[in-house]
Each structure stands twice: as structure tokens, then as C-alpha cells.
Amino acid sequence: MSIHQKPLVSIIIPVKNEGDNVRSTIVSLFNSRTSFPYEVIVVDDASTDHCCHFLSQQPKSPQITLITTEGIGAAAARNLGAERARGSYFIFCDAHLTFENFWIDRLMEMVLAKKADGVAPGIASMTEPHKIGYGQNLDQRLGITWNPNPQKPIPVAILPGGCFLVSKEVFQKVGGFDRGFRVWGFEDIEFSIKMWLFGYTCMVQPSVKILHLFRQTHPYSVVHEHVYYNMLRMAYSHFSEPRVEATKKLILYAKASEIDDDVLTHGAAAQRMRYFAQRKYDDSWFFKQFNIPF
């Protein structure tokens, strides 16, 4: 299969106050080899540090599209990038990554061979590259844990938002990232749970390693209420009533009743009914499948 016969891959990079990281990520991407044609969609979500300024200054590249927004949040920025993408496969990437040769090819192999609907690479710390996580799981407080090296591709509960591949078809069938999420928090967790419950598979390909800069400060102005709102909206969308109640108990630094009212006011009950009618598995199947004690 020549590069002209291979499907176009859209690499979607949401950006918020990334400094020099955007440029170094794109340079690394263009320097890594692949046999697949690809485009890059950078969604600058109201950065104030001019980190994407270089893209509007240099001669227009048909391979890069820059979208600027007025601060729509992490989930919405990803969805906007997907809406503008021309490719039949999407790779969502953070703006602070370093890539190796043929990383796209080895992720695409799994999806094209129908071994996975969504696939993530191993993700290592840029400052401590020997520390590598292979997909994610959840703990008893719905917090993220990283998996050890499985030596071969295996199913994983959560595709890390830092880098994962999904087909456009599956992305659209599950409705993308949650349309009602605010600012930041739980985007990747909700998306992965939805993938599994709707009957799709998420895998990790340990033969691919991406370097990721784990930053000291957060680009979004994150408050507890936004994260709790997204967490509870996710629970209403996918969890049994006892698990929804258990999720409310995780709200420690805000009034759970106020978050609950807010979530329900913004359509969570209707989304719950729609998702429950559409899904193939229930949340108990998911938590049991990945030994999550919640």
C-alpha cells in the first residue's frame, strides 16, 4: 500500500499556554518518519502566551490548520478539532510530546487489523524516560493509575488523553468527548468508559513509546467545582444509581447538592437515558473487567 492509498490521519493538538512546547512537538512530529499521510490541527484554546503565534507568522502549510477559540475548555477544543479534521483516523495529542519513528504506523496497524478501536502508546516522562505508563486504570476514588509494561498489546480501561488513536467512525458513533463538560477534568476517562460500554475496545501498544512532559503548573484555571461537575456528569451518564451516590461522596471541597443540581439542570438525566439505551455493557461489567474497586 503506497502513501497515496493509505488513509489520512488527523493529528489533533489542543493547546493552552504551552510556551515553546507547541513548536518542539510539531518539529518532533515532522522529524519522525511514517508511511501514512497526515494533517495537523492545532486548537489554540485562548492561550495568552502567544505559544501558537509562530504558526500564523510562518508561510501557510497545507499540512497544518490553526484554530483559535475563546476558551471553550479541553473537551470542546478536542471536539472542535475533530469537526475540522479531514482524516478517517484521529490521533489526539498533547502539545508537549516527543515522537519516535513509525509511531503512527504501529498504532494504525492495530486499528486497521481490527484488533482495537482505540489504541494508545506507552507514555514516558520526558525528564525520566525510564518511567513509562501503558494505558491507565482507575482506583477506588476514580483517580488515575498507570499500568506496568504488559509486553504485548492488551485491553486498558482508560486511553490517556496525552496520546491516543481512534477512527473517525467510532469517535462519531460514541459522540466524541462529552459535549457538556466544563474547562478541564475527566475528558479521557469519560470517553474511554463510553467506548467500552458502547461495545468498542481500547488497547495499549507497548512497542510504541511517546515522551511526555509532565508539567509543574496547569494551563487551565481549574477549580474544584469544574472537576466535580465533570465527574458527576460522567457518573450520571454511565453509572448505576448506587455508583452515582458513591460519586457524590467523592465531592469533598464543594457542596455536593449544588453540584448535583447544576449537573441535572444541564441535561444529565436525558443523556443518561440516551446512553443507557445505546450501550452494549453496563458499568458493573466495566468495573469488574478491569478490577476497579468502585
Side-chain angles (χ1 to χ4, degrees):
M1 197 186 285
S2 76
I3 194 163
H4 301 296
Q5 297 168 304
K6 291 192 170 182
L8 179 68
V9 177
S10 296
I11 297 171
I12 299 163
I13 306 176
V15 172
K16 180 83 169 182
N17 294 336
E18 286 283 354
D20 293 331
N21 295 332
V22 187
R23 189 194 294 269
S24 59
T25 298
I26 289 173
V27 167
S28 175
L29 174 63
F30 284 172
N31 284 338
S32 64
R33 294 171 64 194
T34 179
S35 63
F36 282 85
Y38 66 87
E39 63 170 356
V40 181
I41 297 175
V42 176
V43 184
D44 181 4
D45 194 24
S47 295
T48 54
D49 68 349
H50 307 296
C51 58
C52 294
H53 194 55
F54 73 99
L55 289 173
S56 51
Q57 293 302 100
Q58 63 190 32
K60 285 273 186 288
S61 161
Q63 209 171 352
I64 302 181
T65 301
L66 174 63
I67 305 169
T68 54
T69 70
E70 294 173 1
I72 57 178
R78 288 179 168 94
N79 286 334
L80 180 59
E83 282 163 25
R84 295 281 292 274
R86 294 180 296 115
S88 15
Y89 295 88
F90 299 159
I91 301 180
F92 292 94
C93 282
D94 280 350
H96 34 270
L97 302 180
T98 302
F99 305 97
E100 61 185 12
N101 285 334
F102 300 109
W103 69 281
I104 296 172
D105 307 56
R106 295 205 297 280
L107 295 181
M108 282 292 291
E109 275 168 18
M110 290 193 63
V111 176
L112 292 176
K114 307 220 177 309
K115 292 176 181 169
D117 297 300
V119 59
I123 297 181
S125 165
M126 213 173 274
T127 51
E128 298 176 279
H130 59 285
K131 292 185 177 175
I132 313 170
Y134 296 90
Q136 296 170 331
N137 207 346
L138 298 174
D139 63 19
Q140 68 276 13
R141 301 187 58 78
L142 299 180
I144 281 296
T145 60
W146 286 88
N147 299 322
N149 190 345
Q151 307 299 332
K152 62 180 184 183
I154 60 158
V156 290
I158 308 298
L159 296 168
C163 185
F164 74 84
L165 163 73
V166 64
S167 73
K168 176 180 184 176
E169 182 186 6
V170 170
F171 183 83
Q172 290 179 335
K173 279 184 175 172
V174 301
F177 292 93
D178 192 291
R179 308 263 156 192
F181 270 15
R182 294 180 180 169
V183 188
W184 182 89
F186 284 90
E187 301 85 18
D188 324 324
I189 297 173
E190 190 278 334
F191 182 81
S192 301
I193 290 174
K194 191 163 51 181
M195 288 264 294
W196 281 112
L197 298 191
F198 284 23
Y200 299 106
T201 56
C202 303
M203 306 274 285
V204 68
Q205 172 51 283
S207 73
V208 185
K209 184 175 84 171
I210 301 296
L211 294 177
H212 182 280
L213 179 66
F214 290 91
R215 293 163 301 175
Q216 301 304 308
T217 56
H218 205 285
Y220 281 100
S221 181
V222 176
V223 295
H224 288 300
E225 282 79 4
H226 293 148
V227 179
Y228 287 147
Y229 178 93
N230 291 357
M231 178 177 73
L232 193 53
R233 183 178 170 88
M234 175 183 77
Y236 271 114
S237 297
H238 301 297
F239 295 176
S240 65
E241 286 179 20
R243 282 201 179 92
V244 172
E245 293 306 312
T247 305
K248 290 178 194 174
K249 290 190 173 73
L250 298 176
I251 297 172
L252 302 177
Y253 305 106
K255 278 198 173 161
S257 58
E258 289 179 8
I259 304 280
D260 192 35
D261 289 345
D262 198 8
V263 167
L264 291 173
T265 302
H266 288 88
Q271 179 156 287
R272 176 185 182 85
M273 287 177 66
R274 200 167 69 248
Y275 283 177
F276 275 42
Q278 198 175 343
R279 69 190 191 178
K280 185 175 175 184
Y281 301 109
D282 67 10
D283 56 318
S284 291
W285 172 89
F286 173 79
F287 285 108
K288 187 178 176 187
Q289 189 80 0
F290 294 103
N291 299 313
I292 299 166
F294 184 77

